[in-house]
Amino acid sequence: MAQILIVDDSSTVRDEVTTFLKNAGLDVISAVDGKDGLVKLKSDPGIRLVVADVNMPNMDGLTMVEKIRGELGNSKVNLIMLTTESSPNMKERGKAAGVKGWIVKPFKGAAVLETFKKLVA
């Protein structure tokens, strides 16, 4: 059972974040878009943290987190956005959906590692 789910349509970003977190001793799985992320979250009750991009095909990250809280009724998983988007409107939408943090790419693993560890503890 994974503790962290990385959801990003960019294989480069997915691989970079997943590799960094695995090298830090964390249990990580990944998904290619919001739809895939929902499927993986439903099938793995061990996921404690979802780190998602905003702009993805099939289902964007904000819609995915709204569905996690709404349709799935999952209020326990921690949600972080990792994106190039910094629009105040998007951040407000994320906050309303229960997003705990907003990280603007590029991913700087060392800066967030301790926070991620706390969110999966």
Side-chain angles (χ1 to χ4, degrees):
M1 294 199 319
Q3 294 180 310
I4 301 176
L5 172 61
I6 305 300
V7 186
D8 201 305
D9 60 314
S10 164
S11 61
T12 303
V13 172
R14 257 192 339 268
D15 293 347
E16 175 190 356
V17 176
T18 298
T19 300
F20 175 83
L21 295 174
K22 282 184 175 181
N23 287 343
L26 295 166
D27 189 9
V28 183
I29 60 171
S30 63
V32 298
D33 59 35
K35 281 187 175 183
D36 188 30
L38 285 177
V39 168
K40 299 232 170 113
L41 185 62
K42 286 181 197 176
S43 68
D44 190 340
I47 295 171
R48 299 286 175 253
L49 172 63
V50 175
V51 180
D53 188 13
V54 172
N55 296 313
M56 297 182 286
N58 301 315
M59 182 185 296
D60 67 84
L62 288 173
T63 300
M64 180 190 70
V65 300
E66 290 166 347
K67 288 180 178 287
I68 288 169
R69 294 294 195 239
E71 289 177 20
L72 298 185
N74 186 333
S75 61
K76 295 189 179 185
V77 70
N78 292 302
L79 305 167
I80 302 283
M81 303 311 292
L82 173 63
T83 181
T84 58
E85 294 289 342
S86 58
S87 151
N89 290 345
M90 284 196 178
K91 287 182 178 181
E92 279 303 313
R93 182 177 165 202
K95 188 175 180 181
V99 171
K100 288 199 176 214
W102 197 279
I103 301 168
V104 177
K105 290 177 182 174
F107 179 68
K108 295 177 180 75
V112 299
L113 182 58
E114 290 308 311
T115 300
F116 282 18
K117 285 181 177 180
K118 287 178 185 169
L119 292 173
V120 299

